[in-house]
Amino acid sequence: MLETRAALEGDRTLAYATLAPSVVFLVLLAGVPTITVFVTAMQDIGMGDMSGPYVGFENFVWALTSESFYTALWNTFIWVFGSVSIEMVLGLGLALLLNKTFAVRGIARAVILAPYLVPTVVAVLTWRYMFHDIVGIINAGLIATGLIDKPLLWLNSESLAMTSVILVGVWKFFPFAVIALLGILQAIPQEQYEAAKIDGASSMQQFWRITLPYVMPVFLLTALLRTIWTFHKFEIIYLMTGGGPLDATTTLPILVYLKAFTDFEFGRAAAVAILTFGILGILLGLYFMLIKRAEARQ
C-alpha cells in the first residue's frame, strides 16, 4: 500500500516537473502582454511613449460613454452573428450532402474545401476586384441577368459594405464547419438509420431524431470556435473596407487599431481591447451552457 502510494506520488511529481516549463512559457507568453494591456489602459499614452500619466478608469469611462464604441460593438455583433450563422447552416447542409454517396463526391469535397486553403490576403484582393463597381464580375453578372440596372457600390455603400465583408468571411471559412460536421456525421452508427427505416420513419424524422442529436454538440462547439475567431477577426474587414464607409464596418478590433495607430491613443485602445475580451468571455459562458445542455440531452 505504501509502495503504491509512493509510486503515485513519484508519478505526480514527474508529471508536474514535465509540465512546469510549458506552464511557465504560457504564463510569460499570455500573462505578460495581458498585464501590459491593463497597465496601458490605466494611463494616457501616446505614440512613442513607454508610459504616461495615470488616469485610472478614465479610458474605460470614455469607451462606455463613446458612440464610436457602441457603433463598433453593434457592428461586431452583426459581423459575428451574420458570418457564423450562415457558415454553420451552410456547413451543415453541405456536410449532409457530402456524407451521401454519389459519383463525384471526392471532387465535390475538394472544391468545397478549397476556399479554406486560399491565403486570406489573396482571397480579399480577389473579392475586392469582384466587388468593383465598374469592372467587377458581380455587378456585371447582376446587370446581365436583369436583377439590377446600374452598378452597386458594394464596398462604398453604408448599406452594402457589411453584407459584402460577411459574404467574403462566409466564403473563406465555411469549409471549417463542413470538415467538423462531416466528421461527426460519418461517426453516426448506420444501424440506427436502418432501424428507423424499418419503423417507417421519414428522412426528416431521421434527421430530427437521430442526426441532429448526434451532431448538436459538435455543431455548438464549432460555432463556439468560429465565434471566437470571427469576433477578433481583423484582416478581412481592414483589407476590404478599412472600417468604412463612415464606420459602417468598424468592429471592435478595427476600433482598437484605429485608436492606437491612427489617433495614437494607446490607453483608450487598450481599454477597448479589455472590454472586448470581457464581452467575448460572456459569450463563451453562454455557449458553454448551451453545449452542456446539448450533451445532457444526448
Side-chain angles (χ1 to χ4, degrees), residues 46-47 255 257-266:
M47 176 62 93
L255 180 61
Y257 175 85
L258 294 176
K259 297 307 294 183
F261 300 107
T262 300
D263 299 335
F264 305 125
E265 297 175 342
F266 290 91

Side-chain angles (χ1 to χ4, degrees), residues 80-103:
V80 173
F81 179 78
S83 299
V84 175
S85 59
I86 297 175
E87 287 173 22
M88 296 308 301
V89 173
L90 183 61
L92 178 58
L94 291 174
L96 290 170
L97 177 62
L98 294 177
N99 193 44
K100 298 182 179 298
T101 302
F102 53 92

Side-chain angles (χ1 to χ4, degrees), residues 72-88 162 165-166 169-170 222-234 237 249 251-253 276 279-280 283-284 287:
L73 179 61
W74 176 248
N75 288 338
T76 302
F77 282 132
I78 295 176
W79 157 247
V80 173
F81 179 78
S83 299
V84 175
S85 59
I86 297 175
E87 287 173 22
M88 296 308 301
M162 181 60 76
V165 296
I166 288 176
V170 169
T222 305
L224 169 64
L225 294 175
R226 287 301 308 141
T227 298
I228 296 173
W229 297 337
T230 306
F231 201 91
H232 63 70
K233 183 61 65 177
F234 172 82
I237 296 178
T249 58
T251 57
L252 290 174
T276 302
I279 294 169
L280 186 56
L283 293 177
L284 294 184
Y287 264 116

Side-chain angles (χ1 to χ4, degrees), residues 4 23 151 154:
T4 303
V23 172
W154 290 96

